[in-house]
Amino acid sequence: MPVVALLTDFGDRDIYVGVMKGVIAQICPQAQTIDLTHQVAPYDISGGALALWGAYRYFPRGTVFCCIVDPGVGSQRRPIAVQSRDYCFVGPDNGLFWWVLDEEGCEKVVEIQNKVYWLPIVSRTFHGRDIFAPIAAHLAKGIPVDDLGPEIEKESLHRLPPLRALIGKEQIVAEVVHIDRFGNAITNLREEDFADWVQELGWRSWQARIAGVTFSEILSYYGEAKKGEPLLLFNSFGLLEIAVREGSAQKDLGIEKGRFIEIVPVDYP
Amino acid sequence: MPVVALLTDFGDRDIYVGVMKGVIAQICPQAQTIDLTHQVAPYDISGGALALWGAYRYFPRGTVFCCIVDPGVGSQRRPIAVQSRDYCFVGPDNGLFWWVLDEEGCEKVVEIQNKVYWLPIVSRTFHGRDIFAPIAAHLAKGIPVDDLGPEIEKESLHRLPPLRALIGKEQIVAEVVHIDRFGNAITNLREEDFADWVQELGWRSWQARIAGVTFSEILSYYGEAKKGEPLLLFNSFGLLEIAVREGSAQKDLGIEKGRFIEIVPVDYP
Amino acid sequence: MPVVALLTDFGDRDIYVGVMKGVIAQICPQAQTIDLTHQVAPYDISGGALALWGAYRYFPRGTVFCCIVDPGVGSQRRPIAVQSRDYCFVGPDNGLFWWVLDEEGCEKVVEIQNKVYWLPIVSRTFHGRDIFAPIAAHLAKGIPVDDLGPEIEKESLHRLPPLRALIGKEQIVAEVVHIDRFGNAITNLREEDFADWVQELGWRSWQARIAGVTFSEILSYYGEAKKGEPLLLFNSFGLLEIAVREGSAQKDLGIEKGRFIEIVPVDYP
């Protein structure tokens, strides 16, 4: 049973997602559609890219990801389909896929042009329904990406800045890239990058500062802190996270997306 | 694989929708249930009717729509099932289906009375679980609507006022009937009605006024406006929409559901 | 087609639920996953337990319930799997399953230890993805709970206080245990307990007091009250509910979770 995973900024108060599922069921009744999330903030391309990057590797081989965060709908941004070794990705070429493709590689990218696979009438404001959902359903049915349009160069794809913290010899500056449902503040500092940096530090210890709180250790899980106490840990996606045990880093510490956390040696001037 | 589409005002913080899906899976395990939306405002029958009208045509033939916005649950309002050429509709007779049936027509309407297809114990406050979900599942399994109860006249169905703007020779008054997740304000003015009116105007140009903003053209897609700029377009459901590019007509212009937009010739006194 | 029902406090703004579904689809592609709800308040174990208790009996025999409200993730709380006559339950041993097991009984409880069925890499903060979803998928595929780890005593399970009101000869004190989407305030007073109590009262009548409102009767459905009027009824789960017809007991009467309603004979001093 082929899987189509949906990722959008459509929220849940409208029929937009339901209609896309209706279109998919019509074209590929045997597909199982899975909602990755539809609560990407409106127009937040990097928020969508982060969600996709965190999730895609947990899906079955052959999953078609239909991803729509598309402020440029109707204009000149290209609709694309990407075949990687294990997955297909369908959506607008605006950076949404970049962090995944940069990691997963891609075997082929095409610009979606072949209208045979679109809905007969295509609006200029809802390509999710009229182009991307039908294409995803046809891919789930087994058509190759080649059928969708001309191949384009991977190098020509829209990029995002790397999903990595700024790392200097004496300083790390990481950015809060997502606040989750529990108010955990997730940053772009990767566990492996931090490990390398700490090794470079040698015998010197470090401290991390954000929102007036200073941390000097990384815990393994929330329960290692006392209730209501702030903590740092590398989360299940390998990213540094600021949390408050059974509380909310967002509400209790006032940390929002876009905020920086700075990590320096303790003897840093 | 039969499709059961669910549309309710149940929201997502309770188990109401999940329980209905459990009931459907028990009766018709092979059915695929698709959430149209559950975020219709509580008791908002015309909001539910609008959602269904916008969505139904994108679903596979044979889809059973199980729709519940039901302030009258337990009282005398009739539970009905409708067979149209391509679809089945199940829910309370309170207007919810009117805009669809007015457009799609219906071959047969029955009042649901045959308790064979209900859950054995029927509460007086959750017919979604006890009557409508089981009926939808049995319809998905293939029983004909005739089995559910006696036929009733289409003419006796509860109606809603037409989903159309008020159109005069010199003036259109359209109403905002939905605010979507992006803050787009969707009105009841249909593209074809506007086109007819403009043709009648002849050489005269028009202007539209709402919330202190005056518009004199209809764009094709959001990207034709500058970022943050208000615009008018006919959306992907053929309805006039007030939007703000990468912003929100609701937040930025203060437009709420129920507000009017007036369109008149520029030389209108 | 096996059913896996998901119940969590993960909300919908992250990829957590979507990722669990990806994992399940990878291990047991034929499983149908049904969302019970993901809007249990963060860390609210009894809120999750109530949702599960209300819902489980409406699911097909053989349903695997994968339930995660897990403030203790990563620490010493035990991951468990329970086989009852008709269902399987998977999640942390923190009381989440207690109200169901107390009613449904259980044939076998095991502590999940056999890592063969986990994801190869297990984080310390997301056991939903790494342990519980894979286990649920394997159970849906048909492995017996015995394969998951050593049996433990039902008596050793974490308990919750009974889901029942405090009932004295002359007084009932019930607690609001949930506010639903419509603002209905659901209490822990069960219909059968109230019926027994009323029978004991004999010829004496009773009154119920909460939030400055006094009730002296129980209605059958919302429509029996006038619009905007408060009412009491036993809801479709057999629990006493305070409601306002086409309004909200939460907003209109200011009733929140945790509030008490007192019921006494009218001639009570």
Side-chain angles (χ1 to χ4, degrees):
Chain A
M1 207 155 68
V3 172
V4 177
L6 301 177
L7 169 71
T8 75
D9 62 349
F10 291 166
D12 61 358
R13 84 189 211 209
D14 306 295
I15 56 174
Y16 303 145
V17 172
V19 161
M20 286 177 61
K21 289 179 181 169
V23 168
I24 291 168
Q26 203 158 3
I27 294 169
C28 183
Q30 69 275 25
Q32 183 188 1
T33 58
I34 295 182
D35 298 304
L36 232 169
T37 179
H38 300 290
Q39 298 292 1
V40 173
Y43 323 120
D44 180 5
I45 293 166
S46 67
L50 178 69
L52 184 62
W53 172 84
Y56 82 98
R57 73 200 80 213
Y58 294 98
F59 279 74
R61 275 188 92 160
T63 296
V64 179
F65 291 89
C66 183
C67 304
I68 305 167
V69 179
D70 193 12
V73 61
S75 69
Q76 289 313 307
R77 65 97 189 91
R78 298 180 295 189
I80 56 170
V82 183
Q83 176 71 59
S84 76
R85 203 189 51 192
D86 290 336
Y87 302 110
C88 274
F89 303 91
V90 178
D93 176 27
N94 58 17
L96 199 47
F97 302 114
W98 183 251
W99 289 333
V100 166
L101 299 183
D102 198 31
E103 178 176 285
E104 163 87 352
C106 59
E107 301 192 337
K108 191 165 282 185
V109 190
V110 303
E111 179 170 346
I112 295 170
Q113 287 188 356
N114 185 350
K115 300 187 180 182
V116 168
Y117 299 111
W118 303 7
L119 289 199
I121 298 170
V122 173
S123 71
R124 298 200 66 173
T125 52
F126 193 5
H127 288 184
R129 177 190 70 190
D130 304 331
I131 299 179
F132 296 124
I135 292 290
H138 282 291
L139 288 170
K141 257 177 112 170
I143 69 153
V145 293
D146 307 76
D147 277 19
L148 301 175
E151 195 168 347
I152 57 179
E153 293 298 317
K154 189 191 163 185
E155 284 62 40
S156 75
L157 289 178
H158 203 106
R159 292 163 183 239
L160 297 183
L163 180 62
R164 296 201 173 268
L166 217 69
I167 299 182
K169 210 171 152 40
E170 294 276 289
Q171 195 190 21
I172 292 175
V173 180
E175 185 181 344
V176 173
V177 289
H178 182 66
I179 304 281
D180 83 359
R181 133 81 152 196
F182 299 95
N184 298 320
I186 296 162
T187 74
N188 59 357
L189 178 57
R190 300 193 188 205
E191 190 160 13
E192 64 268 27
D193 291 348
F194 181 69
D196 289 349
W197 184 80
V198 164
Q199 194 162 22
E200 286 285 314
L201 273 195
W203 54 266
R204 297 162 73 193
S205 39
W206 55 267
Q207 58 184 21
R209 278 175 265 167
I210 184 170
V213 186
T214 302
F215 299 91
S216 57
E217 57 173 347
I218 310 267
L219 304 188
S220 308
Y221 57 93
Y222 307 109
E224 282 186 329
K226 295 201 189 99
K227 272 200 196 186
E229 220 177 56
L231 65 127
L232 289 186
L233 52 69
F234 282 101
N235 71 11
S236 61
F237 298 92
L239 297 174
L240 186 75
E241 183 176 301
I242 304 117
V244 170
R245 183 179 168 199
E246 293 182 39
S248 161
Q250 182 182 34
K251 282 189 203 149
D252 302 340
L253 309 179
I255 298 175
E256 293 295 342
K257 192 174 162 177
R259 186 102 178 226
F260 295 111
I261 177 167
E262 191 196 33
I263 311 179
V264 294
V266 285
D267 50 5
Y268 187 71
Chain B
M1 207 155 67
V3 172
V4 177
L6 301 177
L7 170 71
T8 75
D9 63 349
F10 291 166
D12 62 359
R13 84 188 211 210
D14 306 294
I15 56 174
Y16 304 144
V17 173
V19 161
M20 287 177 61
K21 290 179 181 170
V23 168
I24 291 167
Q26 202 158 2
I27 293 168
C28 184
Q30 68 275 26
Q32 184 188 0
T33 58
I34 296 182
D35 298 304
L36 231 170
T37 179
H38 300 290
Q39 299 292 1
V40 173
Y43 323 119
D44 181 5
I45 293 165
S46 67
L50 178 69
L52 183 63
W53 172 83
Y56 81 99
R57 72 201 79 212
Y58 294 98
F59 280 73
R61 273 189 92 159
T63 295
V64 179
F65 291 88
C66 183
C67 304
I68 305 166
V69 179
D70 194 11
V73 61
S75 68
Q76 290 314 307
R77 65 97 189 90
R78 297 179 296 189
I80 56 170
V82 184
Q83 176 71 59
S84 76
R85 202 189 52 193
D86 290 335
Y87 302 110
C88 274
F89 303 91
V90 178
D93 175 27
N94 58 17
L96 200 46
F97 303 114
W98 183 253
W99 288 334
V100 166
L101 298 183
D102 198 32
E103 177 175 285
E104 164 86 351
C106 60
E107 302 192 336
K108 192 165 282 185
V109 189
V110 303
E111 179 169 346
I112 297 171
Q113 288 188 356
N114 185 351
K115 300 188 181 181
V116 167
Y117 298 112
W118 303 6
L119 289 199
I121 298 170
V122 172
S123 71
R124 298 198 67 173
T125 52
F126 193 6
H127 288 184
R129 177 192 68 191
D130 304 330
I131 299 179
F132 297 124
I135 292 291
H138 281 290
L139 289 171
K141 258 177 110 169
I143 67 154
V145 294
D146 306 77
D147 276 20
L148 301 175
E151 194 167 346
I152 57 178
E153 294 298 315
K154 190 190 163 187
E155 283 63 39
S156 75
L157 290 178
H158 203 106
R159 294 164 183 238
L160 297 183
L163 180 63
R164 296 201 174 268
L166 218 69
I167 299 184
K169 212 171 151 42
E170 294 277 288
Q171 193 189 20
I172 291 175
V173 180
E175 184 181 344
V176 173
V177 289
H178 181 66
I179 303 282
D180 82 359
R181 132 81 151 199
F182 299 95
N184 298 320
I186 297 161
T187 75
N188 59 359
L189 177 57
R190 301 193 187 205
E191 190 160 12
E192 63 269 27
D193 290 348
F194 181 70
D196 288 350
W197 184 81
V198 163
Q199 194 161 23
E200 287 285 313
L201 274 194
W203 53 267
R204 297 160 73 193
S205 39
W206 54 267
Q207 59 184 19
R209 279 174 262 166
I210 183 170
V213 187
T214 302
F215 300 90
S216 57
E217 58 173 347
I218 310 267
L219 304 188
S220 309
Y221 56 93
Y222 307 108
E224 282 186 330
K226 295 202 190 99
K227 271 200 197 187
E229 219 176 59
L231 64 127
L232 289 184
L233 51 70
F234 282 102
N235 71 12
S236 61
F237 298 91
L239 297 174
L240 186 75
E241 183 176 301
I242 304 115
V244 169
R245 185 181 167 197
E246 294 184 38
S248 160
Q250 182 182 35
K251 282 189 205 148
D252 302 341
L253 308 179
I255 298 175
E256 293 296 342
K257 191 174 162 176
R259 186 103 177 224
F260 295 111
I261 178 167
E262 193 196 30
I263 311 180
V264 294
V266 285
D267 50 4
Y268 187 72
Chain C
M1 207 157 66
V3 171
V4 177
L6 301 177
L7 170 70
T8 75
D9 64 348
F10 292 166
D12 62 358
R13 83 189 212 208
D14 306 294
I15 56 174
Y16 303 144
V17 173
V19 162
M20 287 178 59
K21 289 180 182 169
V23 168
I24 291 167
Q26 202 158 4
I27 293 170
C28 184
Q30 68 275 24
Q32 183 188 0
T33 58
I34 295 182
D35 298 304
L36 232 169
T37 179
H38 300 289
Q39 298 292 1
V40 173
Y43 323 121
D44 180 5
I45 293 166
S46 67
L50 178 69
L52 184 61
W53 173 84
Y56 81 98
R57 73 200 79 211
Y58 294 98
F59 280 73
R61 274 188 92 159
T63 295
V64 179
F65 290 89
C66 183
C67 304
I68 305 167
V69 179
D70 194 10
V73 62
S75 68
Q76 289 314 305
R77 65 98 188 90
R78 298 179 297 189
I80 56 170
V82 183
Q83 176 71 58
S84 76
R85 202 188 53 191
D86 290 336
Y87 303 109
C88 274
F89 302 92
V90 178
D93 175 27
N94 59 17
L96 199 46
F97 302 114
W98 184 252
W99 289 333
V100 167
L101 299 182
D102 198 31
E103 177 175 286
E104 163 87 350
C106 60
E107 302 192 337
K108 193 165 278 184
V109 189
V110 303
E111 180 170 346
I112 295 170
Q113 288 188 356
N114 185 351
K115 300 187 180 180
V116 168
Y117 299 111
W118 303 6
L119 289 199
I121 298 170
V122 173
S123 71
R124 298 200 66 174
T125 51
F126 193 5
H127 288 184
R129 176 191 69 192
D130 304 331
I131 298 180
F132 296 124
I135 292 290
H138 282 290
L139 287 171
K141 256 178 113 169
I143 68 154
V145 293
D146 307 77
D147 276 20
L148 300 175
E151 193 168 347
I152 57 179
E153 293 298 316
K154 189 191 163 185
E155 283 63 41
S156 75
L157 289 179
H158 203 107
R159 292 164 184 238
L160 297 183
L163 181 62
R164 296 201 174 267
L166 218 68
I167 299 183
K169 211 171 152 40
E170 294 277 289
Q171 194 189 20
I172 291 175
V173 179
E175 184 182 344
V176 173
V177 290
H178 182 66
I179 303 281
D180 83 358
R181 133 81 150 199
F182 298 95
N184 298 320
I186 297 162
T187 75
N188 59 358
L189 177 58
R190 301 193 188 206
E191 190 161 11
E192 62 270 26
D193 291 349
F194 181 70
D196 289 348
W197 184 83
V198 163
Q199 195 162 23
E200 287 285 313
L201 274 194
W203 54 267
R204 298 161 73 194
S205 41
W206 54 268
Q207 59 184 21
R209 279 174 263 166
I210 184 170
V213 185
T214 302
F215 300 91
S216 57
E217 57 173 347
I218 310 268
L219 304 188
S220 307
Y221 56 94
Y222 307 109
E224 283 186 329
K226 295 199 189 100
K227 271 200 198 189
E229 218 175 59
L231 65 127
L232 289 186
L233 51 70
F234 282 101
N235 72 11
S236 61
F237 299 91
L239 297 174
L240 185 75
E241 184 176 301
I242 304 115
V244 170
R245 185 182 168 196
E246 294 183 39
S248 160
Q250 182 181 36
K251 282 189 205 148
D252 302 341
L253 310 179
I255 298 175
E256 293 296 342
K257 191 173 161 178
R259 185 104 178 224
F260 295 111
I261 178 168
E262 193 196 31
I263 311 180
V264 294
V266 284
D267 50 4
Y268 187 70

